[in-house]
Amino acid sequence: HLPPVSSLPTAHCQQCRIQRCNAEYVASTSPSSGLQEDSPSDVDYCIALRAYALCTRRTARSCRGDLVYHSAVFRIKELFSQQNCSSDGPTSSAKAPSTSRPAVSELCDYESRVLALGPAGQGKKYAHCGLFGDPHLRTFRDEFQTCKVEGAWPLIDNRYLSVQVTNVPVVLGSSATATSKITVIFKSYHGCTEQKVYQATTEDLPSAFQDGTRSGGEGGSLWIVEKGSSGGCLVKIQARYIGTSIIVRQVGRYLTFAIRMPEDTLDFSEENSGLQLCLHGCPRNELIKEHMLGRQPLHPRLPGSGSNPELGPLLPPHQIYTVERATAKCRETLQVEDVYFQSCVFDLLTTGDPEFSMAAYGALEDLKALPPSKLKQNSPRTPRVQLNRVGPHMLATATHSLVTFLLLVLWLL
């Protein structure tokens, strides 16, 4: 059993949240809410504008060097003047997207389309891919690898979406890398969504797409939810029109990625799919072949490589972990000594960064939330669901009673 959430280390996510403020403001002034920018006399509009200003003030400290933030502040001042709104007065939180599943047409709901196929849809399966830590990769084929893959690499690239990650060196004197940027492009899908781009970096884990919106297409076929988590800051993206769920976490200074997609949206053939880490794993020359629980040597980096443009100067290892210390640290959050536990120990030995233990924990939580599985075919009206809830003895007793009853009816006739 894992320790209670309250006993896990608290994740500190100090980052610029201006995209979140922008998204909430757009949502609160959208036509569906009845608030229009061309209605300056609308009291609700002024309330939304004051809420927008309050949101930007709360994130001011972490947004000092952000151009989007300064642009928003300037725009807010203009809107107060244009719409004759007072900066004093009631404020309310801008309309946030509901965490419940919004209504969506069958065309833009993958599960509904598959269930409509009847028996032909019963074999449909979901596949899981995850990338975390040093980095460790779990492919759609359920292969587990540890790779170097420094720089920009494609995880997925098909007709529905593209995912690219950028991995950077972690500490001075080590070959360890971790993910500093994740870009997800949802390609246009006729009748369901236009193209949407989501990008997370070490400086910002936005709860909105790059255009400031939190949803796309018709009836919630694509939407974003921000959630709290003991394993780090977390954003979940639901693309229901292709049956896909994505979780992006920030753990310390780095990011983790997890996705679940239907197998029939993937092309596993080597010829047509190109380089996609989630499909085919890492190239051989990028593999770290073993999960060793012994001390990993620190590989000297080339002269001039002591810094990188995204994270600034590389730091020396936080601590020097022995196998015993690393194992004890990982046991604080991971009780079962599986590949995730081994990854945690591996990362502590190679980086000396205790935050990496939470990366493995978060990846395991994402696997539980987005497991590889068959499409759910259960229905409350299906007798099989009720039978599955009784034990073999109770089922045999019920069967015997039914046979006895039928024999009695026949005897009476």
Side-chain angles (χ1 to χ4, degrees):
H1 298 286
L2 291 174
V5 169
S6 59
S7 68
L8 296 176
T10 302
H12 300 285
C13 304
Q14 296 296 327
Q15 55 186 313
C16 182
R17 296 283 186 170
I18 190 59
Q19 294 287 6
R20 178 178 181 176
C21 297
N22 291 344
E24 289 179 346
Y25 173 70
V26 169
S28 67
T29 56
S30 63
S32 60
S33 67
L35 304 179
Q36 301 289 341
E37 285 206 22
D38 57 1
S39 304
S41 61
D42 192 335
V43 177
D44 286 342
Y45 177 75
C46 292
I47 289 176
L49 188 57
R50 282 192 290 269
Y52 188 20
L54 178 61
C55 184
T56 59
R57 288 197 296 273
R58 286 174 174 170
T59 195
R61 185 174 181 180
S62 56
C63 291
R64 290 176 182 172
D66 192 292
L67 294 178
V68 176
Y69 165 78
H70 291 289
S71 175
V73 171
F74 180 77
R75 177 62 174 156
I76 288 170
K77 291 180 180 178
E78 284 190 328
L79 289 173
F80 268 118
S81 175
Q82 292 173 8
Q83 308 300 340
N84 249 347
C85 291
S86 170
S87 58
D88 298 322
T91 62
S92 62
S93 297
K95 183 181 68 178
S98 171
T99 55
S100 61
R101 290 182 63 162
V104 64
S105 68
E106 183 174 303
L107 171 67
C108 299
D109 189 325
Y110 172 84
E111 291 187 4
S112 295
R113 295 198 307 268
V114 171
L115 291 175
L117 297 176
Q122 293 182 4
K124 302 290 186 182
K125 295 181 180 179
Y126 290 106
H128 174 95
C129 177
L131 186 77
F132 68 97
D134 191 5
H136 307 288
L137 174 70
R138 182 171 186 146
T139 72
F140 283 131
R141 303 173 192 264
D142 281 338
E143 297 170 342
F144 203 93
Q145 300 176 343
T146 299
C147 317
K148 293 175 286 186
V149 289
E150 182 176 342
W153 291 81
L155 289 185
I156 304 167
D157 186 15
N158 57 41
R159 56 180 172 164
Y160 303 108
L161 80 165
S162 296
V163 181
Q164 180 172 286
V165 296
T166 300
N167 300 318
V168 295
V170 178
V171 294
L172 185 64
S174 171
S175 62
T177 64
T179 302
S180 65
K181 181 189 292 184
I182 297 173
T183 302
V184 185
I185 301 174
F186 295 92
K187 300 176 182 179
S188 177
Y189 191 97
H190 181 68
C192 296
T193 184
E194 67 278 18
Q195 179 172 292
K196 289 284 184 177
V197 179
Y198 178 81
Q199 186 171 90
T201 68
T202 55
E203 300 299 325
D204 186 27
L205 183 69
S207 56
F209 296 106
Q210 283 196 324
D211 60 6
T213 62
R214 286 189 170 186
S215 62
E218 298 296 326
S221 59
L222 176 64
W223 51 295
I224 294 179
V225 178
E226 183 180 33
K227 297 184 177 181
S229 168
S230 58
C233 301
L234 180 157
V235 168
K236 185 173 183 179
I237 307 175
Q238 294 280 88
R240 292 170 59 189
Y241 64 99
I242 52 174
T244 297
S245 300
I246 293 174
I247 295 176
V248 178
R249 290 178 183 261
Q250 182 175 14
V251 183
R253 301 170 69 212
Y254 303 102
L255 304 171
T256 71
F257 174 84
I259 187 172
R260 183 174 70 172
M261 289 190 73
E263 285 187 348
D264 61 3
T265 63
L266 304 171
D267 183 358
F268 285 97
S269 64
E270 296 280 353
E271 301 78 25
N272 301 324
S273 55
L275 178 60
Q276 300 181 55
L277 301 190
C278 277
L279 276 182
H280 307 304
C282 301
R284 290 184 181 181
N285 61 338
E286 296 290 333
L287 285 173
I288 299 175
K289 294 185 180 180
E290 298 179 72
H291 268 289
M292 297 179 61
L293 295 184
R295 178 67 196 168
Q296 301 296 311
L298 294 179
H299 302 288
R301 301 190 62 79
L302 297 174
S305 62
S307 64
N308 70 75
E310 297 200 28
L311 298 178
L314 291 176
L315 302 175
H318 294 64
Q319 304 177 38
I320 300 298
Y321 277 88
T322 62
V323 175
E324 292 74 19
R325 282 192 62 209
T327 301
K329 176 65 177 176
C330 292
R331 281 197 181 124
E332 293 178 7
T333 53
L334 298 164
Q335 302 299 303
V336 179
E337 297 194 11
D338 56 7
V339 289
Y340 291 92
F341 183 92
Q342 294 170 15
S343 298
C344 174
V345 174
F346 180 92
D347 290 347
L348 290 179
L349 293 177
T350 55
T351 69
D353 187 346
E355 290 179 335
F356 270 63
S357 63
M358 293 307 296
Y361 169 78
L364 183 57
E365 290 298 293
D366 294 343
L367 177 66
K368 294 175 183 177
L370 307 175
S373 61
K374 284 189 176 181
L375 178 68
K376 292 180 181 178
Q377 299 285 330
N378 295 337
S379 166
R381 290 174 290 183
T382 304
R384 183 166 40 206
V385 175
Q386 300 299 327
L387 293 178
N388 285 341
R389 294 179 179 176
V390 300
H393 174 71
M394 293 178 63
L395 184 58
T397 302
T399 304
H400 176 74
S401 300
L402 179 60
V403 171
T404 303
F405 175 75
L406 291 175
L407 289 175
L408 180 61
V409 170
L410 292 172
W411 182 77
L412 290 174
L413 292 175

